[in-house]
Amino acid sequence: MTQHAVLFADVLLPVPVKQEFTYRIPPQFNDKIVVGGRVIVQFGQRKLHTGLVKKIHTNKPEYETKAIELVLDESPVLSDIQFRFWKWIATYYMCSEGEVMKAALPSGLKLDSQTAVSINNEWVETENDKLSPTEETVYQFIAFQKKTNLQQINSLTKRANAYPLIKSLLQKGAVIIEEELKKAVRPKTVPYIRINTSLKNEEAMKTAFEKLKRAKKQLDLFMFLLNKLSFYAPQQSAPLAKKELLSNATFSESTLKQLQKRGYIEVFDVEIERLPDIEKSKEISILNPYQEKALNEIHSNFIHKDVVLLHGITASGKTEIYIRMIQQQMKAGKQVLYLLPEIALTSQIIERLTAVFGDKAGIYHSKFNDSERVEIWNKVLGFSNSESNKYQLVLGARSALLLPFKNLGLIIVDEEHETSFKQFDPAPRYNARDAAVVLATMHHAKVLMGTATPSFESYFNAKTRKYGYVQLNKRHSNIELPEIIIADLKTAYKRKQMKSHFAPLLFEAIEIALSQNEQVILFQNRRGFSPFLQCRSCGWIPKCKHCDVSLTYHKYFNNLQCHYCGYSINLPTACPDCNSTDIQTKGFGTEKVEDELKIIFPDVTVGRLDYDATKTKYGFEKVLHNFSTKKTQILVGTQMITKGLDFDHVSTVGILNADNLLNYPDFRSFERAFQLMAQVSGRSGRKNKRGKVIIQTSQPEHPVIHMVKENNYEAFFNTYIEERKIFRYPPWYRLINITIKHKDRDRAINASKQLGSELRKTFKGRVLGPDFHLISRIQQYYQLIIRIKLEKTIPPDKAKTEIENGINKVIKYENNRSVQINIDVDPL
């Protein structure tokens, strides 16, 4: 490659197009650009994007190439393994690599309209680089502002994109883009205070005191700072944090500003880490004989298998086994990824792991802001054995799988059965549990999946010896499995024995638990006060105007809300159809249960754990803290309460309506019902006392209910796995769902019929539908679904190519251009 050779770069952009784009590399960037680094490029007529360089070469395309506008990184932010992993996700889940990039790369790593621009003080205008009138206006604006950004320049020039203008000023050397702000992340800073060093001069200090004689508050503050900072001592004290000073009620912000204005003190910023310091504890529990046996079996399985399923009943101490596995990997200099279904719901596990591993452990999830996510990204990327300040253990939800690991040794997938590991919308619709196996293979790492109620897919893989299998069927600290009692709702309603939503068995158990100063958990998998309202005169039910669903009544907000699009209306005082005021609530949600418990037990504190109660950043932690410290005696919740929580004082658990779980129209409804009931039952029981679980149902003889009661997962699996085979469902068959969406009902129907016919040419009877979704319209879009069931013997790549060909053909029809088609591989 000669010095003057023209270089080109294949750039990946965060757009839903299945290709890379080739750009010309200007000579000034030849020595700076790297594969895996970020660049700014123009895409389309005016739009700018942050892209990732995938390849650098000298092969000039046949078309005219645009030049790269700016190089952001001189070292990679992405490794070759990540590029390969992204490609696998895009291929398997039938989306573009650009969509994977959009999901993976934190927003803070993308240069955007907030990019800082300032004037170059060393620039002198010459004949060759004379500014145009518009450039002169922008230059003077930047000079006046001292520092501005692209968004403000767009407003000034009334342009959609002022970047070409800035580019011209950059080329002429008139302005600069500050290097430290290129990442679009401002470091977190804390203001500190120090005395101006010019006051070391005796005359200057004397003048200062003279001027402060008439400003007593300023003088008092100045004297305080001189003493506090040991200004006259040979060795001065460290600067004082502004927050610490103002916490002293004696001094005010205005007094401080006056001293700063006089030039006697300086306020300066010190950069700190955004992530909280974590104290490390050296206490590690000793494993019991059952845990030791399970740990040894995991190691034995890992000799021949890359994936092991740890099937441990609730409260069996799986976390302690995970800790031992993590320690071994960290001693070997490897990184570990600990995947959790929903990071906000597993604060107890996070607290335990960070206490053991301290600042080597990082947490990554969606409630962190962009700056915090970038900081974690860089710490994972910068890991090496010699650097102790980089993350070796990362705890996170599914998005943590896309972090830039360099030397991954182990991935732990806790509660592997959880549907939260699956991304639903937008693309990529990946399952982090399954994708973790592929990522581990690329790193030559191992995967440990743990759960008390395995998914059918994972248990099937263990039974067919694709995965290793280890069982842990004894609870830690000799805690007994809870006693499970079935309460017949049909009989209780018939005999008029119900008290609110509680059958006599559950009501009595709650009373006994409260009288013994014990706690109660009540599970109702429906949030809100009431699922819908109905006029008793004419039958009118308020519906969402954007979706084909009824509106849910929320008493706290005193309104009706749609749980699919967020649409809400005020609570109606009269029926709009017949003007009747006799409007009644139907059914019940967590809010109604909480409300009625407060009436039945006025002296008891009742808490609620659902989406509405935990919307704030620390909402979940607050509810959890109140319950764990016994400030709350009864906790009502949705499936949030089933996810790995551990409480010492819970003796009674009530499942208010098991029928809702069992009767949902889905082939996985029994599997999910078993998992939810078994998991919530596991919250009951403590040392030296057996817990009690009451399951309320109108179907007391239902076989799933009895298998939950007997805690017999093996019998449950064996009963229903053959049913899956007969009806051609996973894990025996592969399932691909195709959703067709349009705001016009007829166009959605026609497009789906055309696609169904096209796919049947190849897949014949393996194609089911099109049928309307369970909810036929969401956010104004009518939705139809086509399901394709494929034998495991059919090559998946070939099948997916045929599906994409069919979609590409149908989407080109004149009336289908605005039709949206989404593909979901391995749907849940």
Side-chain angles (χ1 to χ4, degrees):
M1 202 181 294
T2 64
Q3 190 177 354
H4 301 292
V6 179
L7 295 178
F8 297 90
D10 292 342
V11 177
L12 179 63
L13 296 176
V15 293
V17 181
K18 294 188 176 182
Q19 68 175 82
E20 288 116 33
F21 300 89
T22 303
Y23 288 85
R24 180 169 41 82
I25 303 173
Q28 67 267 31
F29 296 147
N30 281 2
D31 297 330
K32 293 182 178 180
I33 196 163
V34 291
V35 172
R38 295 170 302 141
V39 292
I40 297 295
V41 294
Q42 188 177 345
F43 184 72
Q45 290 298 313
R46 304 174 73 88
K47 206 163 187 179
L48 291 168
H49 276 295
T50 298
L52 286 166
V53 178
K54 286 198 75 176
K55 186 181 177 183
I56 299 171
H57 56 86
T58 55
N59 304 322
K60 187 181 187 305
E62 293 179 3
Y63 53 87
E64 189 63 34
T65 54
K66 294 176 182 176
I68 287 172
E69 305 281 351
L70 196 64
V71 173
L72 296 180
D73 303 301
E74 294 183 27
S75 60
V77 296
L78 216 68
S79 67
D80 178 59
I81 287 179
Q82 270 187 295
F83 274 130
R84 286 194 285 127
F85 184 50
W86 287 10
K87 188 173 183 63
W88 177 85
I89 289 176
T91 303
Y92 187 83
Y93 291 103
M94 301 180 71
C95 63
S96 69
E97 287 182 69
E99 288 170 306
V100 182
M101 174 189 169
K102 192 173 182 180
L105 210 62
S107 299
L109 283 176
K110 297 167 191 170
L111 189 72
D112 58 19
S113 57
Q114 298 301 317
T115 301
V117 182
S118 57
I119 63 165
N120 181 0
N121 292 317
E122 296 176 6
W123 177 74
V124 178
E125 187 174 13
T126 65
E127 254 335 289
N128 294 331
D129 56 13
K130 199 169 180 64
L131 302 184
S132 69
T134 308
E135 288 173 345
E136 182 65 38
T137 303
V138 172
Y139 180 82
Q140 293 300 333
F141 173 74
I142 298 170
F144 177 75
Q145 296 286 337
K146 294 186 179 176
K147 194 178 289 182
T148 186
N149 58 48
L150 293 177
Q151 191 176 46
Q152 290 172 330
I153 295 167
N154 285 344
S155 301
L156 173 75
T157 58
K158 294 182 170 54
R159 295 186 180 197
N161 177 22
Y163 188 79
L165 195 65
I166 297 300
K167 180 187 171 187
S168 175
L169 289 170
L170 277 167
Q171 287 173 338
K172 291 174 180 178
V175 300
I176 55 172
I177 290 179
E178 294 192 22
E179 189 69 24
E180 67 270 17
L181 291 177
K182 281 184 184 176
K183 292 180 181 176
V185 176
R186 293 184 178 181
K188 187 173 182 179
T189 57
V190 171
Y192 277 78
I193 300 164
R194 62 188 170 207
I195 307 291
N196 194 322
T197 51
S198 65
L199 295 178
K200 284 282 185 183
N201 180 292
E202 192 176 330
E203 201 59 41
M205 182 62 78
K206 188 177 177 182
T207 304
F209 275 117
E210 193 66 37
K211 288 184 177 179
L212 290 173
K213 272 184 180 178
R214 295 183 182 179
K216 187 176 183 307
K217 289 183 180 179
Q218 292 177 44
L219 182 61
D220 289 346
L221 175 55
F222 188 55
M223 291 293 292
F224 173 82
L225 289 172
L226 288 172
N227 291 324
K228 183 79 175 175
L229 299 173
S230 308
F231 187 69
Y232 292 112
Q235 184 67 41
Q236 291 186 27
S237 301
L240 179 67
K242 182 180 173 182
K243 186 177 180 181
E244 184 185 335
L245 173 71
L246 296 179
S247 63
N248 184 336
T250 312
F251 307 116
S252 68
E253 175 102 36
S254 59
T255 308
L256 184 69
K257 281 184 178 176
Q258 287 301 319
L259 278 183
Q260 188 180 359
K261 194 174 179 181
R262 288 178 186 268
Y264 299 155
I265 64 166
E266 295 173 351
V267 178
F268 63 100
D269 289 331
V270 174
E271 186 178 336
I272 63 164
E273 289 195 355
R274 296 176 179 275
L275 308 169
D277 290 331
I278 299 165
E279 289 186 11
K280 186 174 176 179
S281 164
K282 292 185 180 178
E283 280 187 33
I284 299 173
S285 302
I286 297 169
L287 299 185
N288 63 33
Y290 305 106
Q291 290 171 312
E292 284 281 5
K293 182 174 179 285
L295 182 62
N296 292 332
E297 286 180 9
I298 290 168
H299 285 303
S300 299
N301 273 274
F302 273 151
I303 295 170
H304 303 290
K305 305 285 184 185
D306 289 331
V307 184
V308 172
L309 175 64
L310 174 60
H311 185 185
I313 60 172
T314 54
S316 58
K318 293 186 289 293
T319 306
E320 296 303 323
I321 293 174
Y322 299 153
I323 288 171
R324 295 304 192 287
M325 299 293 297
I326 293 166
Q327 282 179 319
Q328 289 161 7
Q329 291 295 324
M330 290 174 79
K331 280 180 184 175
K334 300 278 189 178
Q335 287 175 299
V336 179
L337 171 61
Y338 190 129
L339 284 176
L340 299 156
E342 291 182 50
I343 198 81
L345 308 179
T346 45
S347 56
Q348 290 180 329
I349 296 174
I350 291 165
E351 189 179 319
R352 179 78 185 105
L353 290 172
T354 49
V356 175
F357 299 108
D359 58 7
K360 285 183 178 288
I363 303 162
Y364 189 78
H365 62 85
S366 58
K367 287 196 176 180
F368 279 165
N369 61 41
D370 283 334
S371 301
E372 288 168 327
R373 285 194 229 177
V374 170
E375 195 161 328
I376 295 164
W377 180 282
N378 289 334
K379 284 200 166 192
V380 174
L381 179 69
F383 168 76
S384 70
N385 295 342
S386 59
E387 293 182 85
S388 60
N389 67 327
K390 306 301 181 186
Y391 287 149
Q392 201 169 354
L393 167 64
V394 175
L395 297 86
R398 59 177 180 262
S399 58
L401 191 72
L402 304 172
L403 285 169
F405 294 98
K406 295 182 80 174
N407 190 16
L408 200 57
L410 176 69
I411 301 177
I412 294 168
V413 185
D414 197 14
E415 307 295 350
E416 65 82 25
H417 66 277
E418 280 286 351
T419 56
S420 306
F421 284 123
K422 173 75 172 175
Q423 165 79 8
F424 290 100
D425 274 315
R429 296 174 182 84
Y430 67 103
N431 189 319
R433 178 198 64 202
D434 300 340
V437 176
V438 177
L439 180 63
T441 303
M442 291 178 176
H443 280 274
H444 306 291
K446 303 292 185 182
V447 178
L448 178 61
M449 298 181 181
T451 178
T453 52
S455 64
F456 269 35
E457 287 81 358
S458 295
Y459 197 67
F460 181 80
N461 285 336
K463 295 278 277 187
T464 55
R465 301 187 183 280
K466 184 178 178 181
Y467 293 172
Y469 179 73
V470 176
Q471 196 164 15
L472 185 60
N473 51 20
K474 291 286 183 182
R475 279 186 142 192
H476 196 261
S477 304
N478 297 317
I479 302 171
E480 285 188 86
L481 281 167
E483 177 190 6
I484 298 179
I485 302 166
I486 299 169
D488 187 352
L489 283 178
K490 197 159 50 177
T491 303
Y493 274 114
K494 194 174 182 180
R495 295 178 180 175
K496 298 184 178 179
Q497 295 174 326
M498 294 292 291
K499 292 188 178 178
S500 180
H501 308 292
F502 312 109
L505 278 170
L506 179 55
F507 191 83
E508 185 184 347
I510 293 170
E511 286 187 314
I512 292 170
L514 294 174
S515 69
Q516 295 176 354
N517 197 28
E518 292 167 346
Q519 291 175 297
V520 177
I521 287 177
L522 297 174
F523 172 63
Q524 168 63 3
N525 205 25
R526 189 187 290 275
R527 63 187 175 99
F529 189 87
S530 179
F532 64 97
L533 303 182
Q534 187 172 29
C535 172
R536 295 185 70 182
S537 300
C538 70
W540 169 80
I541 296 172
K543 300 271 184 76
C544 175
K545 69 177 186 179
H546 306 300
C547 312
D548 286 341
V549 290
S550 58
L551 295 172
T552 301
Y553 172 44
H554 287 256
K555 187 177 181 181
Y556 179 80
F557 300 106
N558 196 36
N559 68 4
L560 301 176
Q561 296 178 15
C562 174
H563 289 175
Y564 289 88
C565 71
Y567 171 75
S568 64
I569 59 171
N570 293 328
L571 187 69
T573 53
C575 172
D577 285 1
C578 69
N579 292 322
S580 169
T581 56
D582 191 5
I583 299 174
Q584 195 175 49
T585 60
K586 296 287 184 180
F588 64 97
T590 50
E591 193 181 19
K592 189 172 186 180
V593 176
E594 177 195 26
D595 197 57
E596 295 188 2
L597 281 168
K598 287 176 179 177
I599 296 168
I600 297 168
F601 302 105
D603 299 325
V604 171
T605 308
V606 182
R608 178 161 51 90
L609 188 65
D610 59 20
Y611 176 78
D612 299 317
T614 57
K615 281 182 178 177
T616 59
K617 187 170 182 179
Y618 299 107
F620 177 82
E621 285 78 5
K622 186 178 177 183
V623 174
L624 202 63
H625 175 76
N626 288 341
F627 195 63
S628 60
T629 54
K630 296 190 77 173
K631 290 179 182 176
T632 303
Q633 283 79 48
I634 302 176
L635 183 63
V636 183
T638 57
Q639 59 182 307
M640 282 186 172
I641 60 174
T642 70
K643 301 176 192 249
L645 302 177
D646 183 26
F647 303 106
D648 288 335
H649 305 286
V650 174
S651 65
T652 302
V653 167
I655 297 171
L656 299 184
N657 193 336
D659 302 328
N660 284 347
L661 304 174
L662 292 167
N663 297 329
Y664 189 79
D666 186 87
F667 76 93
R668 283 194 174 94
S669 60
F670 287 177
E671 180 185 355
R672 287 182 185 149
F674 184 96
Q675 288 165 346
L676 280 169
M677 286 190 279
Q679 289 285 342
V680 76
S681 299
R683 306 309 120 215
S684 174
R686 58 191 178 90
K687 290 177 186 176
N688 305 319
K689 177 151 184 182
R690 192 181 186 194
K692 186 179 286 187
V693 179
I694 291 93
I695 299 175
Q696 296 191 155
T697 175
S698 300
Q699 307 170 72
E701 299 305 317
H702 198 291
V704 174
I705 298 281
H706 280 275
M707 288 169 195
V708 171
K709 182 179 179 180
E710 295 160 9
N711 194 37
N712 194 340
Y713 180 85
E714 181 75 20
F716 170 70
F717 177 84
N718 290 334
T719 301
Y720 294 104
I721 192 66
E722 287 305 316
E723 193 176 279
R724 297 269 187 102
K725 188 176 184 179
I726 293 166
F727 292 102
R728 298 190 298 168
Y729 280 114
W732 299 100
Y733 286 75
R734 288 191 176 92
L735 191 60
I736 298 175
N737 284 354
I738 303 170
T739 302
I740 301 92
K741 300 163 72 171
H742 200 279
K743 289 184 178 181
D744 185 285
R745 188 175 187 274
D746 291 337
R747 288 175 76 174
I749 292 170
N750 290 336
S752 61
K753 284 180 178 178
Q754 289 164 354
L755 182 56
S757 299
E758 195 63 39
L759 293 173
R760 280 191 182 87
K761 291 176 185 177
T762 304
F763 298 105
K764 305 191 182 334
R766 299 178 183 88
V767 178
L768 299 180
D771 301 301
F772 272 105
H773 258 279
L774 190 62
I775 299 167
S776 60
R777 187 173 63 112
I778 295 178
Q779 296 180 3
Q780 297 187 336
Y781 281 87
Y782 289 94
Q783 302 190 113
L784 291 100
I785 188 167
I786 295 172
R787 295 176 178 86
I788 304 175
K789 297 177 179 179
L790 300 172
E791 298 91 333
K792 291 283 183 81
T793 53
I794 295 176
D797 291 347
K798 186 179 177 183
K800 288 169 186 175
T801 301
E802 292 292 341
I803 291 169
E804 286 181 339
N805 290 341
I807 291 171
N808 291 336
K809 185 176 179 180
V810 168
I811 211 74
K812 287 176 183 174
Y813 296 162
E814 191 176 340
N815 290 332
N816 295 342
R817 306 235 177 225
S818 56
V819 171
Q820 293 181 20
I821 298 179
N822 297 331
I823 307 170
D824 192 1
V825 179
D826 300 337
L828 291 180

